[in-house]
Amino acid sequence: MMLFLDLDGTLIDSNGVWLEVDHRFLSKRGLAVTPEYSYTVGHSIAPVAARFTAEYYHLDERPEDIMAEWLDMARDAYAHTIPLKPGALELVKRADAQGQKLSLLSSGVPELSMLAIRRLGLDTYIKDYFFAHDVGLEKRDPRVYTLAAERFGVPPTDCVLIEDAPDNCAAASSVGFTVVGVYDDFYALRWEDVVKNSKRTVRSLEELL
């Protein structure tokens, strides 16, 4: 059995950082976040979100430059302030102690993600990483999960995913993953979608201990 762990919103309390980045980035240009924009970029990997941002707001800026500005805004938080969610460190410690095969499975920017992972000591227990960013796919794409399973040589039906995003829960479940849905305030209005697409749901990782 392979255990895959999401990072943002599951192991670390970081989703609010990206809301702040969106607001700061757009307000500098006299623009406002719309519900459609927030939903789309909140479910995207950074390169896709940057292209969407340029097109959606008709910006005369390269997606690479948009993404670089986002990373500069978020880097300090990942390096210094974003906290673990309750039970996260204990969960990975226990899985490692039990000899459980585990990997991160994240849509985050690898550079930023690793800043937080190392600072918070998660790298002591998590040795394998699968970033959707590296395969150019969003985590709501079911192919992410089949590729992750293939990388580690296990069938999807032998994989467990701990995840907070409802569309990601649905995508993983659709290819045979067993999904444990975790509550996060960012997706509070879609909690029922998480419940519908998960084998089990928890309000806190502490419930898994």
Side-chain angles (χ1 to χ4, degrees):
M1 185 68 71
M2 185 81 190
L3 175 62
F4 289 101
L5 299 159
D6 174 55
L7 182 66
D8 294 283
T10 299
L11 294 179
I12 63 174
D13 194 5
S14 55
N15 283 333
V17 169
W18 292 104
L19 289 174
E20 177 64 21
V21 166
D22 291 343
H23 283 284
R24 287 173 57 197
F25 176 86
L26 293 173
S27 65
K28 284 173 61 177
R29 293 156 176 81
L31 301 168
V33 175
T34 68
E36 178 186 20
Y37 176 78
S38 184
Y39 176 83
T40 301
V41 300
H43 291 77
S44 296
I45 55 174
V48 174
R51 289 195 298 271
F52 174 78
T53 299
E55 294 167 2
Y56 186 81
Y57 287 104
H58 308 291
L59 299 178
D60 187 22
E61 299 178 63
R62 299 187 309 159
E64 310 92 89
D65 295 332
I66 292 172
M67 189 165 67
E69 186 171 340
W70 288 345
L71 300 194
D72 285 342
M73 289 179 175
R75 187 172 285 107
D76 185 68
Y78 277 81
H80 301 292
T81 62
I82 291 172
L84 285 164
K85 297 193 82 172
L89 187 59
E90 294 81 359
L91 180 67
V92 296
K93 277 184 179 180
R94 176 177 292 187
D96 179 68
Q98 293 175 343
Q100 171 71 60
K101 292 196 298 182
L102 71 157
S103 171
L104 197 77
L105 203 172
S106 173
S107 60
V109 178
E111 174 199 346
L112 297 187
S113 298
M114 293 308 299
L115 286 175
I117 287 165
R118 294 183 182 117
R119 172 175 60 84
L120 295 166
L122 294 171
D123 60 324
T124 301
Y125 309 101
I126 302 174
K127 304 300 184 184
D128 292 309
Y129 303 90
F130 188 98
F131 287 103
H133 181 282
D134 292 338
V135 294
L137 297 171
E138 299 178 346
K139 267 182 71 180
R140 53 182 167 176
D141 188 327
R143 289 176 295 172
V144 165
Y145 305 96
T146 55
L147 287 171
E150 287 172 8
R151 175 177 295 183
F152 295 102
V154 293
T157 51
D158 284 346
C159 296
V160 175
L161 172 69
I162 301 179
E163 169 70 56
D164 69 307
D167 291 343
N168 300 348
C169 292
S173 180
S174 75
V175 299
F177 274 51
T178 297
V179 176
V180 178
V182 181
Y183 177 83
D184 186 76
D185 285 341
F186 186 79
Y187 295 110
L189 296 179
R190 298 193 60 202
W191 177 241
E192 289 306 315
D193 292 329
V194 175
V195 173
K196 180 174 66 176
N197 291 294
S198 301
K199 182 75 170 178
R200 179 184 177 186
T201 57
V202 294
R203 289 278 176 168
S204 167
L205 295 176
E206 293 172 308
E207 295 176 43
L208 299 177
L209 301 175

